[in-house]
Amino acid sequence: SQTIHQWPATLVQPVGSPLSLECTVEGTSNPNLYWYRQAAGRGLQLLFYSVGIGQISSEVPQNLSASRPQDRQFILSSKKLLLSDSGFYLCASEDRGKNYGYTFGSGTRLTVV
Amino acid sequence: AQSVTQPDIHITVSEGASLELRCNYSYGATPYLFWYVQSPGQGLQLLLKYFSGDTLVQGIKGFEAEFKRSQSSFNLRKPSVHWSDAAEYFCAVGARGTYKYIFGTGTRLKVLA
């Protein structure tokens, strides 16, 4: 089974600072990878997904970006954080072509101050 | 349009009582259906999934769900709720070969001792 490592668990960053959240996956190869965000009391918002190295699809235009430098590594970045970037960020993975459902990481709580 | 509706934002039940969480979907293709649970500050965990076959599926933690095509529903049930079941529950729908699942907005379950 898959295991997703996400770090850090908690992050407090000033407005205008850069961001880098990392997600790595164990127990599978060639997964589909996803970044979701949950605002307080809200549902899940898909930000980015990737079906392969270097292949990134953006769902919501914003000041965030994603990269997939290795097969099982997915990075969420920003050059300048906004207050509205605060939220709970979740990385997810799914075996490509299997549709068995996502495996989620434990999330990163980002507070922009 | 493809969508998932979880009509109940909050549900409160007493410990030991039965539970049913509702999920209705609108999807053009034969749906793959999922239920996830999220404890506070944690990632989502897959409870169960339905692809085809028997319309009553069993999951982890004593949960089950029933797929009713005629009603476009996939309701989650548990015969006797435990205090540890207090969490948020998400229904999701997709299809074979899809990259992305559509999530409902979640139902927050509170369990009274």
Side-chain angles (χ1 to χ4, degrees):
Chain A
S1 62
Q2 297 182 30
T3 301
I4 296 186
H5 300 282
Q6 232 187 295
W7 65 91
T10 305
L11 192 59
V12 180
Q13 293 283 94
V15 169
S17 64
L19 173 73
S20 181
L21 301 181
E22 188 164 342
C23 166
T24 59
V25 183
E26 291 182 357
T28 187
S29 56
N30 298 319
N32 292 337
L33 297 175
Y34 305 84
W35 279 110
Y36 280 87
R37 177 171 62 198
Q38 272 184 307
R42 304 284 296 278
L44 294 161
Q45 180 186 34
L46 178 61
L47 301 176
F48 301 94
Y49 70 94
S50 171
V51 298
I53 296 174
Q55 300 180 58
I56 308 295
S57 296
S58 174
E59 290 292 298
V60 181
Q62 57 204 327
N63 72 322
L64 298 172
S65 62
S67 62
R68 185 171 178 174
Q70 300 180 47
D71 180 47
R72 291 174 289 173
Q73 184 185 29
F74 204 25
I75 298 171
L76 183 69
S77 304
S78 174
K79 292 182 179 178
K80 291 185 178 181
L81 284 169
L82 306 173
L83 287 174
S84 58
D85 292 323
S86 294
F88 191 53
Y89 288 82
L90 289 160
C91 179
S93 173
E94 186 180 45
D95 287 334
R96 189 170 306 163
K98 297 291 180 67
N99 291 120
Y100 290 163
Y102 296 156
T103 299
F104 282 87
S106 55
T108 295
R109 172 74 57 193
L110 172 66
T111 303
V112 183
V113 297
Chain B
Q2 300 174 345
S3 65
V4 176
T5 301
Q6 293 181 245
D8 304 304
I9 299 174
H10 297 278
I11 282 186
T12 300
V13 300
S14 297
E15 190 171 20
S18 63
L19 172 69
E20 183 169 29
L21 302 182
R22 296 183 291 165
C23 172
N24 293 97
Y25 67 90
S26 174
Y27 204 79
T30 300
Y32 286 9
L33 293 153
F34 306 85
W35 275 101
Y36 291 84
V37 60
Q38 184 181 30
S39 297
Q42 299 297 313
L44 281 72
Q45 181 183 22
L46 183 64
L47 283 176
L48 49 77
K49 54 184 176 267
Y50 171 79
F51 292 161
S52 63
D54 191 348
T55 56
L56 184 64
V57 294
Q58 303 297 320
I60 63 171
K61 304 185 184 209
F63 285 92
E64 65 179 26
E66 186 171 13
F67 171 59
K68 293 185 177 179
R69 185 185 299 276
S70 62
Q71 299 177 22
S72 297
S73 69
F74 188 57
N75 293 349
L76 182 71
R77 301 194 295 246
K78 187 169 185 178
S80 177
V81 170
H82 188 263
W83 65 265
S84 60
D85 294 323
E88 190 153 21
Y89 293 80
F90 292 91
C91 181
V93 65
R96 181 179 181 181
T98 188
Y99 294 143
K100 300 178 290 183
Y101 298 113
I102 300 171
F103 282 83
T105 51
T107 297
R108 187 171 297 276
L109 174 66
K110 181 177 179 180
V111 180
L112 300 177

